[in-house]
Amino acid sequence: MAGLTLKRPTRPRALISLVPMIDVMLILLVFFMVTSTYLNLDMIPAARRAEAPGAPPSGPGESGTVMIRLGADGVPVLRGRAMGGAALTAALAGVLAETPLAQVIVLPSGAATTQALVSVMDAAAQAGAVRLRVVRLEARP
Amino acid sequence: MKLNRPSPAPHSETIVALIDVVFFLLVFFMLIGRMDATAPFEVHPPVADSGSDMPAGGATLSVGAAGDLALDGQPLAGPEALAQALTRRLGPEPDLRLRVNAHRDAELRHVLPLVGAAEALGVRDVVLVVTPGPVP
């Protein structure tokens, strides 16, 4: 039995090893998993370009003005009556049904929270107000 | 004479399936994740129903519940530092969009003057960041 050698068939080698690629992909995966945040964010315009100087002013006859005062406790007051979100939307919708182009002016107290202002802007948007202004507080914080 | 064949090495197709799964996860997290610089303090934006989708880009001004300020994750000492930083950003980018990410409990006296100051500096596109959901 001298000279019997068994040759194993040579296995075809892959051209490029996949292991480094898997390593890189796993590192990328962990990176994106760690750096991801799952906040779903929207936006509300606070300064519209259309309100810039040069926008055509609307005639005084076709529009009125509705002022919503936002108290320090965050309760909006429309025409002397304090009302919450749904009531404010209904009241504003009633006003806007008569004068669709009425300008809604929000006069917020400096002590009210951002959520209170956003809620009022939300109610105005749901009532169909197209012209909404927030009176800015100029005092330094 | 009987020769035991060596047990075949595990085939590489199992690795291909793993790569597929990892690749799907990778793409998922790349699409879902936001890489925005986060503020060094806690900011929970207010809840609103009528917000619209927020495009990327621009500068993010974070306002904490106590009035702390940060622009793109860098803490600012006060409104003066914000004015300086905004002026620097507005030089090469006059159409800068400023996203005001204010905490829902931040008092408006800390927030609204900043919007006015930014407009006075020439920022024409200021948006408030909100979270979609039913208004409490």
Side-chain angles (χ1 to χ4, degrees), chain B residues 10 20 23 28 31-32 44 48 55 64 76 84 98 132 135:
Chain B
D20 285 352
F23 202 78
F28 171 77
L31 291 179
I32 286 296
H44 295 295
L76 296 171
Q84 289 174 5
L98 182 65
V135 176

Side-chain angles (χ1 to χ4, degrees), chain A residues 6 22 28-29 32-33 36 38 40-44 46-47 108 110 112-115 118-119 122 126 136 139-141, chain B residues 3 15 29-30 32 46-52 80 103-104 106-109 113 119 126-130 132 135:
Chain A
L6 291 174
I22 298 171
L28 282 174
L29 178 64
F32 282 108
M33 283 174 73
S36 292
Y38 296 97
N40 188 6
L41 297 178
D42 278 355
M43 66 172 189
I44 289 181
T113 61
T114 310
Q115 176 65 64
V118 167
S119 298
D122 212 39
Q126 284 182 354
R136 300 274 155 69
R140 282 294 167 93
Chain B
L3 289 175
I15 293 183
F29 281 107
M30 283 176 73
I32 286 296
V47 181
D49 256 344
S50 58
S52 51
E80 291 82 11
H103 194 286
R104 62 182 66 156
E107 294 185 3
L108 289 174
R109 64 193 169 95
E119 280 189 297
V126 184
V127 298
L128 281 176
V129 177
V130 297
V135 176

Side-chain angles (χ1 to χ4, degrees), chain B residues 4-90:
Chain B
N4 279 333
R5 284 192 183 166
S7 60
H11 210 263
S12 62
E13 277 172 1
T14 54
I15 293 183
V16 171
L18 172 79
I19 294 171
D20 285 352
V21 171
V22 171
F23 202 78
F24 275 122
L25 284 173
L26 179 63
V27 171
F28 171 77
F29 281 107
M30 283 176 73
L31 291 179
I32 286 296
R34 301 183 63 92
M35 302 274 291
D36 292 344
T38 50
F41 41 81
E42 195 90 352
V43 176
H44 295 295
V47 181
D49 256 344
S50 58
S52 51
D53 273 345
M54 190 164 61
T60 302
L61 170 66
S62 304
V63 185
D68 320 307
L69 297 180
L71 186 67
D72 281 343
Q74 299 295 317
L76 296 171
E80 291 82 11
L82 171 67
Q84 289 174 5
L86 275 183
T87 309
R88 277 198 302 273
R89 293 287 296 269
L90 279 170

Side-chain angles (χ1 to χ4, degrees), chain A residues 24-122:
Chain A
V24 169
M25 273 172 41
L26 273 173
I27 289 173
L28 282 174
L29 178 64
V30 171
F31 171 77
F32 282 108
M33 283 174 73
V34 169
T35 57
S36 292
T37 53
Y38 296 97
L39 288 177
N40 188 6
L41 297 178
D42 278 355
M43 66 172 189
I44 289 181
R48 292 169 198 265
R49 290 170 190 264
E51 285 182 6
S58 55
E62 65 191 33
S63 64
T65 301
V66 188
M67 177 169 284
I68 304 171
R69 203 159 48 81
L70 186 60
D73 51 359
V75 177
V77 178
L78 176 67
R79 292 178 172 168
R81 281 191 300 137
M83 50 182 71
L88 180 66
T89 305
L92 269 181
V95 173
L96 290 166
E98 297 171 6
T99 51
L101 287 177
Q103 179 157 40
V104 179
I105 296 180
V106 183
L107 176 63
S109 158
T113 61
T114 310
Q115 176 65 64
L117 175 66
V118 167
S119 298
V120 170
M121 294 168 80
D122 212 39

